[in-house]
Every structure is written in C-alpha cells, then in structure tokens.
Amino acid sequence: MQNTTYDFGLVGLGVMGRNFILNVADHDYTAFGYDLDPEKVSALIKEGGDKARVNASGDISSFVTSLSLPRKIMLLVPAGKIVDAVIESLLPYLSPDDIIIDGGNSFFTDTDRREAYLQSKGIHFFGAGVSGGAEGARKGPSIMPGGSRAAYKEVQPIFEAVAAKFNNEPCVAYMGPKSAGNYVKMVHNGIEYGLMQLTSEFYDLLQKGGQLNNNELHKVYTEWNKGDLQSFLVEISAKIFEKKDNLGQGQLVDKILDKAKQKGTGKWTSQNAMDIGIPIPTIDIAVSMREISALKQERVLASKKYERRTIDLEKKQILIEKAEKAMFFAFIITYAQGMHQLREASREYGYELRLASIAKIWRAGCIIRASLLEDIAKAFEEDKDLANLLLAPSFVLKIQDSVGAARELVAYAAENGIPMPGLFNSLSYFDAYTSERLPLNLVQAQRDYFGSHTYERTDREGIFHTDWS
Ligand code: 6PG
C-alpha cells in the first residue's frame, strides 16, 4: 500500500535537494522526492533509510499523488527555463490550493510572472531564497520566503523546523509579498560577492606586502575569525589556507587557477541596483573582478608589458593589525550597500521588507553569516527608517575606529600596485556618501552646456538653463 501522507515534496535531488529533504525528515516530517535521474532517486531512498519517512520516485504522477493536501512541493532545480518546465510537468497532477515553492536562485521578475500564471490556475507559488550550500541544506540553511503570506503559513512549521537556529530563533522569516524572497536572496548573494572579493584581496595584500605564507595566513584568518571579523567566509578562508594538495606538494590553494566563475546573482544585484538608483560600488567591483579574473590570457600578456616596482615590505604584525581593521571597515560598507539596496527595493516593488528581520535570519545558516549581523539587526531595530547603516550611532563609532586603517592600506596598496578595488571602492563610497558637497555641480554644468539639460541652483528655487557659449 502506498503511503499517501507525505508532508513535503521536493523536486530536484541533486546534493542540495537530497540534503534538504533529509533535513526535513530529521524533523518529524515525512518527505517525498522526485528526479528524472534514477540514480539520484535510489541514492535518496538508500540514504533516507526508512521509506515511510523518506521516499522518492522518478515518476511524476506517483510523486504528486504521494503528497498530502494541500501539497507542498519545493523545487531545488537550476534557475531559468528548467523551473518553467518543471512547473508545466507538475500542473496536470495538481489540485486547487496546492503550493509550489521555488527554492532556487531565480530572477525575481521570473517569480512574479510565475506567481501570476499559477494564480490563474488556482495554484499558490512563491519563491524562497535558500542559503548555506550543501551543508546548510542538510544541517540548517537560512531561508528567505516571499509571496502569499497565507501560502507561506502552510509551510512555515516545516521551514522553521529545518532552518538554522541562532539563539534558538529559526533563521527563516516571511520577507514580504511577490518576489520579496528571491530579491532578498539576490542581494544576499551580492553581499556574498563583496565579502568574497574583500577576503581574497586582503589575502593578496598579506602575501605581497608582508610575505605571509599559507600557514601564517591560516593563523591570521583564524585569529580574525575570533574578533570583529567573525564570519563564515573568514572561517572557511582560514581552513582553505591549510588544506594540503593531495595531488602534489604544498597547499591546494596555490594550485587553483585564479579565474573565478559566476552564475549571475551578483551581476543581477548590480544591474538592479543601477535600475533603482542605489550605489553599491563594492558589490559592482566584486562582479568586475570576477570578469577581470576570467581574462587570464590577456592578464598574462599585459603583466609582461608593465613592470611593477618591488613592493615595500611592511612589518608583518603592523600590516596584520591594519588589515583586520580595514577589512572590517569594508565589510561594514558592503553590508551597508546591500541593506540600502533592500530598503529602496522595498519601496520600489512594494515588498514591505523589515531590514532588522532580514539581518536576523542571516545570523546563521547562510554564506554571509557574521557576528556583525547582530549589530546590523539592532541598528535597524532601533530605527526601522534608518536610511543607511552608516548613519546608525553604533556604526559611526565602528567606522571612526577603522577608517584610518582603510586609508593607510589604500595608500599602501596604490603605491605598491596591489589591486584592492573592494577596499578602494568602499573607501571612496564612504568618502562620497559622507561629503556634504560633491563636485557634481560641474557635471550638471557640462550637461547643460552641451545638451541644455538644465540645472538647479543652490541659492534659489527653479530650473535653470544658461547659454554657455
Ligand atoms: C548560498 C550561495 C549559493 C550559491 C551561489 C554561488 O547562499 O548558498 O549564494 O546560492 O553557491 O549562488 O554563486 P556564484 O556561482 O555566482 O558564485
């Protein structure tokens, strides 16, 4: 007799999907998986052990009919056309009020389109960003669901059970209507790009400016991870530095080709920030750096054309201390830019985002988890209308304490030709954002000069145009 009472269905039994479904089953919910690949189906059945708790099939009809009503079906498949194809294949078997949740990194406008399409068919659909990689999926991810609140309520107990916990609070919260969940996850990934760029350029700085070897880098990042910089990305960097290469001598990190790939979420964050008019230059440059890294052949050629002067070595300990502060400064700026984008997107798209709640569910489970998020959550709890993190009193103090080190290292890196665009851009963003007056009056004058685009004045109301010639 077939068990028809599975609580949760999952489509896509790759590593993420398999781990997520096993996590669900660990929390007293029964779950059923579906994948076209028979090997993935048997792998899950084998790992799940008890078929009454975890089962799977490669047959869509038995998958759908095995789920209790309203069906809760989560998709963990690559973003794009596959999501639409899976939805189409499910549709003939669904009943009114069933719920489909897209747990992938789908582009937010795709989620809006799918929600409207499925609503016309009586099916609920919402996007839920899931962060934490394979381990997070298995042991507790951070989950960012959006869409219909009523549909989310049906899934809420399951998500709260499987999500990572921070001080016993689940790292999942309803983000807001429509594609709010996917949007928040997109910006999460933009911040992820920024922090990854920063952790890698400080590695470059310590290697070139202080001649630290991998063992020393391991120690430094391990120490940093006990202080202000405590974060998942600093923690795993420390571990990466000490990983031995099992195909050769030394540490693996030295053998990895310096060309970074990307799936698009960082680029989307930058593109959309431009669309809604919010500056996020640290994230933008992190995307550009992946692009520059991909131009390996050209870089090799160019490196031969331009001589680099020998680098002035810094005293290790002093460099390490300054680097810790400067990286902390740039981490703050990266989060500040991401939160600023979320704030504006909330207004633009009607997401009703609560920034404190977002910072809270990022405190554990996700890739950008960091102790700093506790302070970010507090800052937005104290002032939910805070325009920018840089205006929060507690952050003014943190910045005042760290900006000096950032300036010194920007100067040092520039002098010695060490590319640190994440730090440079963070500092310039800070200097611009905190400038009462910027030279953009000249830009306005130029626009009016060549294109009669008009300008406003500082001393009287109105719109003006001058015949400059
Ligand atoms: C996460 C990650 C995850 C994925 C990135 C990788 O939060 O768990 O962000 O979603 O690993 O999207 O992105 P790139 O391939 O673009 O680096």
Side-chain angles (χ1 to χ4, degrees):
M1 259 279 289
Q2 199 181 23
N3 179 0
T4 56
T5 59
Y6 290 89
D7 303 312
F8 188 76
L10 197 140
V11 178
L13 302 178
V15 191
M16 284 289 287
R18 186 171 71 239
N19 283 356
F20 197 92
I21 210 167
L22 292 169
N23 184 358
V24 171
D26 280 349
H27 289 89
D28 282 343
Y29 291 101
T30 54
F32 203 106
Y34 165 71
D35 201 294
L36 285 173
D37 181 348
E39 278 181 26
K40 289 185 180 147
V41 170
S42 11
L44 176 66
I45 294 176
K46 199 167 156 220
E47 217 176 323
D50 177 4
K51 271 197 187 177
R53 299 205 58 74
V54 184
N55 207 344
S57 169
D59 175 61
I60 197 151
S61 145
S62 50
F63 165 66
V64 178
T65 52
S66 298
L67 303 173
S68 54
L69 297 175
R71 298 184 180 92
K72 299 158 204 66
I73 300 174
M74 179 144 159
L75 318 184
L76 276 173
V77 298
K81 289 199 171 73
I82 298 184
V83 176
D84 294 305
V86 171
I87 290 172
E88 284 308 319
S89 64
L90 285 169
L91 266 177
Y93 303 96
L94 298 180
S95 314
D97 287 333
D98 282 352
I99 300 163
I100 301 179
I101 306 137
D102 180 7
N105 285 327
S106 287
F107 191 56
F108 67 99
T109 55
D110 285 341
T111 297
D112 290 327
R113 168 177 60 77
R114 289 170 186 141
E115 184 184 16
Y117 170 64
L118 286 166
Q119 203 170 22
S120 73
K121 304 204 173 281
I123 305 295
H124 301 289
F125 175 86
F126 66 87
V130 178
S131 177
E135 193 180 329
R138 184 69 186 88
K139 296 185 183 152
S142 170
I143 313 178
M144 295 148 250
S148 140
R149 194 187 278 272
Y152 172 61
K153 279 231 148 45
E154 296 284 337
V155 188
Q156 188 174 354
I158 303 179
F159 276 7
E160 288 186 352
V162 303
K165 306 289 175 311
F166 185 90
N167 290 342
N168 290 325
E169 288 172 52
C171 289
V172 55
Y174 174 70
M175 299 282 96
K178 302 185 283 184
S179 50
N182 285 116
Y183 194 94
V184 172
K185 177 63 185 2
M186 178 185 81
V187 174
H188 165 285
N189 282 25
I191 296 172
E192 175 183 301
Y193 273 51
L195 304 181
M196 289 170 82
Q197 170 59 29
L198 290 165
T199 42
S200 74
E201 63 189 44
F202 277 86
Y203 149 60
D204 199 23
L205 171 83
L206 294 179
Q207 271 191 324
K208 289 179 180 156
Q211 296 203 316
L212 271 76
N213 62 32
N214 287 329
N215 293 331
E216 290 169 306
L217 286 161
H218 163 72
K219 286 197 188 106
V220 168
Y221 276 63
T222 303
E223 278 313 303
W224 284 357
N225 194 43
K226 294 176 187 157
D228 286 339
L229 286 171
Q230 193 287 317
S231 58
F232 174 70
L233 288 166
V234 170
E235 178 193 330
I236 64 166
S237 304
K239 290 181 181 159
I240 288 168
F241 293 131
E242 67 166 356
K243 183 78 180 170
K244 294 265 179 303
D245 178 14
N246 59 12
L247 295 180
Q249 298 290 306
Q251 277 99 345
L252 178 59
V253 67
D254 295 331
K255 310 280 173 53
I256 295 178
L257 186 65
D258 54 343
K259 278 166 83 168
K261 304 249 158 77
Q262 49 180 320
K263 293 201 205 77
T265 44
K267 182 184 78 179
W268 295 342
T269 307
S270 281
Q271 286 174 327
N272 186 259
M274 295 254 173
D275 287 343
I276 64 175
I278 293 296
I280 55 161
T282 308
I283 295 169
D284 298 338
I285 200 68
V287 179
S288 298
M289 282 304 284
R290 292 202 188 188
E291 290 158 1
I292 295 184
S293 85
L295 305 173
K296 176 78 178 180
Q297 272 184 329
E298 290 170 50
R299 285 192 286 119
V300 171
L301 211 84
S303 73
K304 306 217 176 343
K305 297 204 183 294
Y306 296 93
E307 247 177 67
R308 280 261 203 314
R309 55 185 284 259
T310 351
I311 289 180
D312 295 331
L313 290 184
E314 275 278 354
K315 281 213 174 63
K316 271 186 196 176
Q317 203 42 44
I318 295 178
L319 188 67
I320 293 167
E321 280 163 24
K322 283 184 194 165
E324 182 177 15
K325 286 207 166 184
M327 189 148 99
F328 185 55
F329 167 84
F331 266 35
I332 295 175
I333 299 291
T334 310
Y335 284 105
Q337 292 174 8
M339 298 313 273
H340 198 189
Q341 178 170 356
L342 287 175
R343 184 175 183 273
E344 182 56 28
S346 184
R347 224 193 324 249
E348 178 81 23
Y349 304 119
Y351 284 149
E352 300 158 28
L353 299 178
R354 289 156 302 130
L355 299 188
S357 161
I358 294 171
K360 280 185 172 175
I361 64 161
W362 286 348
R363 288 175 304 176
C366 68
I367 304 298
I368 64 166
R369 62 186 184 257
S371 58
L372 188 56
L373 281 159
E374 180 75 346
D375 301 321
I376 297 177
K378 277 196 194 121
F380 285 107
E381 248 166 9
E382 277 161 22
D383 179 1
K384 67 175 177 41
D385 296 322
L386 190 64
N388 189 308
L389 208 50
L390 295 178
L391 300 171
S394 60
F395 278 86
V396 172
L397 295 177
K398 289 185 209 304
I399 291 284
Q400 279 169 346
D401 183 55
S402 56
V403 64
R407 289 195 196 290
E408 286 178 50
L409 289 185
V410 162
Y412 173 75
E415 186 77 13
N416 288 285
I418 302 171
M420 298 194 75
L423 180 64
F424 283 34
N425 274 0
S426 297
L427 184 61
S428 294
Y429 168 86
F430 168 76
D431 283 334
Y433 187 76
T434 55
S435 285
E436 189 183 333
R437 189 167 161 83
L438 288 172
L440 285 283
N441 47 332
L442 179 58
V443 170
Q444 280 297 76
Q446 290 163 340
R447 292 177 71 246
D448 192 54
Y449 188 113
F450 62 66
S452 305
H453 294 298
T454 74
Y455 56 90
E456 290 169 279
R457 294 181 56 105
T458 54
D459 57 353
R460 63 193 72 192
E461 293 289 311
I463 303 290
F464 296 85
H465 165 64
T466 297
D467 182 2
W468 294 88
S469 57

